[in-house]
Amino acid sequence: VEPREQMVHSFLELLPITAYLLLAAAEWPQFLALFGLGVEPAAFAPQWRMLSGSYAAVILTAALLFGVIPYLEELLRCIRAARTNKR
C-alpha cells in the first residue's frame, strides 16, 4: 500500500469523528444535556433551521471536496486494480 493511499484512508477515517466534534461544539448546551449536565433539557425532536444560501454552499462544497472526491478516487483505483488482476 502506497503512503499516499494510507494518508487518504487516515483522512477518511477522521472525517466522521471531526463532524461529531464540530456538531458538539456548535450545540454545546445540547451536548451537555445528553449527559445530564448543563441547564437545558435534552431535546431529541428534530428542529427546522434556516441556513443562508452562502453557508449551505460552503458546507456542500467542503463535503464534496473533502468527502465525496476522495471516496470516488478510491473507488476508481479499486476498479482499476480489479481489472488489472483479472488479466
Side-chain angles (χ1 to χ4, degrees):
V1 179
E2 296 177 12
R4 186 184 83 161
E5 186 174 354
Q6 290 175 352
M7 291 299 293
V8 168
H9 280 276
S10 295
F11 180 76
L12 293 175
E13 290 168 0
L14 288 177
L15 280 177
I17 296 167
T18 304
Y20 286 126
L21 290 174
L22 289 171
L23 185 60
E27 297 293 335
W28 189 250
Q30 281 300 304
F31 179 73
L32 290 177
L34 290 174
F35 301 103
L37 305 171
V39 295
E40 290 185 9
F44 295 103
Q47 297 177 356
W48 286 101
R49 295 185 183 191
M50 295 302 296
L51 300 175
S52 69
S54 60
Y55 182 80
V58 167
I59 295 299
L60 291 174
T61 302
L64 177 73
L65 289 174
F66 299 115
V68 175
I69 291 175
Y71 278 115
L72 289 176
E73 190 267 340
E74 181 72 17
L75 176 64
L76 291 174
R77 288 170 50 112
C78 290
I79 291 171
R80 268 191 240 125
R83 286 182 185 164
T84 304
N85 290 337
K86 281 186 178 181
R87 294 179 190 171

